[in-house]
Amino acid sequence: MSLQIETLVNQTWDNAIIPGLFKYIEIPCKSPLFDAEWEKNGFIDKAMRLVVDWCRQQNIRGLQLTVHRLPGRTPLLVLEVPSDLPQTVLLYGHLDKQPEMSGWHEGLGPWTPVIQESRLYGRGGADDGYAVFASIAAIKALQEQGLTHPRCVIVIEASEESGSVDLPYYMEHIAEQVGTPDLIIGLDSGMGNYEQFWSTTSLRGIVAGTLTVEILTEGVHSGAASGVVPSSFRLIRQLLSRIEDENTGEILLSEFKADIPLQRIEEAKQVAAVLGEKVHTDYPWIEGAKASAIASHQLILNRTWRSALSITGVDGIPDLKNAGNVLRPKTALMLSMRVPPTTDPKQAGLALKKVLEADPPHGAKVVFDFTKASPGWNAPAVAPWLADAIDTASHQYFGKPALFWGEGGSIPFMHMLGEKFPKAQFVITGVLGPHSNAHGPNEFLHIPAAKKLTCCVADLLHQADRIWRAS
């Protein structure tokens, strides 16, 4: 079966998916958080039309396709492929994108699809445009070979990069159509290498907001005021020290800490044994830079189960070419705090606001505008049959065993589904591997790994069908 599946999947990728992804990458369908005029600009609708037309062209037997549109919300695509089995597999992806970002290599760009060394460059190909194409290709390969599959419902949203703000409304809207999934396959995660199947067992949540420190009503000559008026940058630096140890990066607030399950620690050790130094070397370090000198499995836990602060935006600071001798009136930073999978992000965000705004230094005006709180997710225990199926698929198409690990990013949909369908099994995976750089410059999709992952999805669908028919 594996050879025939691989041949069919490769043909679909080469003849249909890659051309489809080229067209998709060219569309700047940025998520509403980054394109307030998304509805007027029409790029999300254009991407949706592209995907809908492509899916219809694949001649999937029994395919029912619906684009749902709630007023003022991004559209949602639902693809349903029936089966005579009562069980349902829900497959998930999204088609909205992060903004352009600067720093693309010469000849590359966010909206310019380019293939180099089996890598398809461009914004959104790997995160997460490929998901709907791969899901349909997996089902198509089974049908063309005459192999059975369960009822499949593919949900493709368009607000994931904005925290899936529209999805809860749609999940209520389509509840009857979806039913109760027995298995959920999410295709918006990552891989530690491109050489085996990776299943994500946890995701961190995120707390984000803008911290603004204002000390003057207008800028004044630095020579006249410095030494009397404190720099707003120095004050904001003091405030950050309340929440983060600047020497280690440890987050100091108890609300941002969580106990790490022993199983997740063991998974981290197993992954560290496979990846070795790649745990920290597979980043675009400048010459001489390096990670903290701790065990590799601890670095994995740092990025999957411990909080970390990133400054993702700044305001109130001129470009260097416009940097005059002026003491600036205010500084604002966008704080992005990754939080453990089991942390309540709203409570953590409120604690962060309280600590930052309390007792402002020098009587400055300090405001933390708490704008985002997305929960993480910790997967339920994997059923033995599913663990075997995952490992079997990895051996068949990658030639190596599957690995289970946590991811440092967030997929709000997973927490939502975990609460809504507590009895469902989960397989969360994706193509975001080393250097693929989702959200940053030079994002790429590793085509050979994506093909093999598509084969694994097909294999899992057929194995689930066989198990359920036998039960």
Side-chain angles (χ1 to χ4, degrees):
M1 182 182 80
S2 60
L3 181 58
Q4 292 172 299
I5 289 289
E6 196 160 14
T7 298
L8 292 169
V9 164
N10 287 347
Q11 288 174 350
T12 301
W13 265 92
D14 293 338
N15 300 331
I17 294 180
I18 291 176
L21 283 173
F22 261 65
K23 294 178 182 178
Y24 166 76
I25 288 171
E26 291 173 345
I27 304 172
C29 49
K30 291 185 286 188
S31 201
L33 185 64
F34 311 106
D35 182 6
E37 299 293 321
W38 68 268
E39 202 163 6
K40 177 182 177 182
N41 291 333
F43 295 123
I44 286 179
D45 283 327
K46 184 177 181 180
M48 185 64 75
R49 288 194 299 270
L50 168 69
V51 167
V52 166
D53 290 344
W54 187 93
C55 290
R56 284 177 172 153
Q57 292 167 8
Q58 304 314 304
N59 298 317
I60 301 299
R61 187 171 60 255
L63 176 65
Q64 301 172 38
L65 186 154
T66 309
V67 178
H68 296 270
R69 297 182 185 274
L70 294 177
R73 302 200 177 278
T74 55
L76 181 89
L77 173 62
V78 179
L79 302 149
E80 183 179 354
V81 185
S83 168
D84 60 342
L85 280 180
Q87 289 88 350
T88 294
V89 179
L90 174 62
L91 298 101
Y92 166 81
H94 68 88
L95 55 74
D96 56 315
K97 303 180 184 182
Q98 284 277 325
E100 295 87 337
M101 185 64 71
S102 59
W104 290 78
H105 293 158
E106 185 177 354
L108 303 178
W111 322 126
T112 305
V114 175
I115 294 179
Q116 294 180 358
E117 298 178 348
S118 298
R119 297 174 174 184
L120 173 56
Y121 286 88
R123 175 66 79 235
D127 185 22
D128 185 43
Y130 89 99
V132 62
F133 298 99
S135 298
I136 289 294
I139 296 170
K140 182 178 181 179
L142 292 175
Q143 289 191 350
E144 289 185 352
Q145 199 177 335
L147 296 172
T148 56
H149 59 75
R151 174 178 180 260
C152 295
V153 178
I154 304 169
V155 173
I156 305 296
E157 66 158 316
S159 70
E160 194 275 342
E161 300 293 5
S162 299
S164 291
V165 291
D166 295 335
L167 199 55
Y169 302 93
Y170 278 116
M171 290 308 295
E172 290 300 319
H173 183 68
I174 65 173
E176 186 175 341
Q177 182 180 9
V178 172
T180 303
D182 299 271
L183 172 61
I184 296 169
I185 300 177
L187 296 170
D188 188 28
S189 194
M191 15 175 56
N193 58 33
Y194 298 110
E195 301 166 7
Q196 51 209 124
F197 188 99
W198 292 78
S199 185
T200 301
T201 55
S202 65
L203 297 158
R204 284 190 295 186
I206 187 171
V207 171
T210 303
L211 174 62
T212 304
V213 174
E214 191 170 5
I215 193 67
L216 295 169
T217 59
E218 60 185 8
V220 297
H221 194 296
S222 62
S226 59
V228 177
V229 179
S231 161
S232 62
F233 185 86
R234 176 167 67 83
L235 299 184
I236 210 166
R237 186 174 62 183
Q238 283 181 251
L239 294 173
L240 293 179
S241 292
R242 294 180 179 182
I243 62 174
E244 179 195 46
D245 183 329
E246 60 264 33
N247 294 311
T248 65
E250 179 187 358
I251 302 305
L252 304 176
L253 308 186
S254 60
E255 291 84 356
F256 286 82
K257 299 178 184 292
D259 293 331
I260 306 175
L262 291 177
Q263 182 182 359
R264 303 300 179 233
I265 295 174
E266 288 304 311
E267 288 173 357
K269 289 180 178 179
Q270 291 171 13
V271 169
V274 171
L275 296 183
E277 292 188 352
K278 287 180 177 288
V279 167
H280 56 88
T281 59
D282 270 349
Y283 291 93
W285 301 95
I286 62 170
E287 186 175 354
K290 57 185 178 182
S292 301
I294 60 176
S296 290
H297 80 277
Q298 291 293 347
L299 290 175
I300 292 173
L301 294 173
N302 277 358
R303 67 176 287 272
T304 58
W305 274 88
R306 297 188 179 111
S307 294
L309 172 65
S310 299
I311 307 300
T312 59
V314 62
D315 201 1
I317 301 180
D319 293 337
L320 292 177
K321 63 183 179 182
N322 295 315
N325 294 325
V326 177
L327 192 66
R328 297 173 297 99
K330 67 178 180 179
T331 300
L333 301 177
M334 176 61 73
L335 310 187
S336 177
M337 187 86 82
R338 295 291 175 177
V339 300
T342 53
T343 293
D344 183 331
K346 292 184 178 178
Q347 292 301 316
L350 292 173
L352 185 62
K353 181 177 177 67
K354 181 178 180 180
V355 169
L356 290 172
E357 293 183 350
D359 192 20
H362 288 272
K365 182 180 179 181
V366 176
V367 176
F368 179 64
D369 184 13
F370 172 32
T371 58
K372 186 175 183 180
S374 295
W377 173 76
N378 186 30
V382 181
W385 74 264
L386 182 56
D388 289 343
I390 292 170
D391 198 53
T392 296
S394 186
H395 276 288
Q396 282 186 341
Y397 298 105
F398 285 96
K400 291 185 178 181
L403 283 172
F404 298 81
W405 72 334
E407 273 285 7
S410 58
I411 309 174
F413 190 46
M414 292 305 108
H415 176 84
M416 189 186 312
L417 288 182
E419 289 196 331
K420 192 173 182 66
F421 306 115
K423 295 182 179 180
Q425 286 286 294
F426 287 83
V427 178
I428 310 304
T429 187
V431 295
L432 296 172
H435 306 293
S436 59
N437 217 24
H439 300 194
N442 310 309
E443 177 186 341
F444 69 77
L445 180 146
H446 191 283
I447 295 173
K451 290 178 176 179
K452 292 177 181 179
L453 180 62
T454 305
C455 294
C456 288
V457 172
D459 201 84
L460 288 177
L461 292 176
H462 183 57
Q463 290 194 64
D465 184 276
R466 289 174 55 248
I467 292 293
W468 291 332
R469 288 183 188 277
S471 63

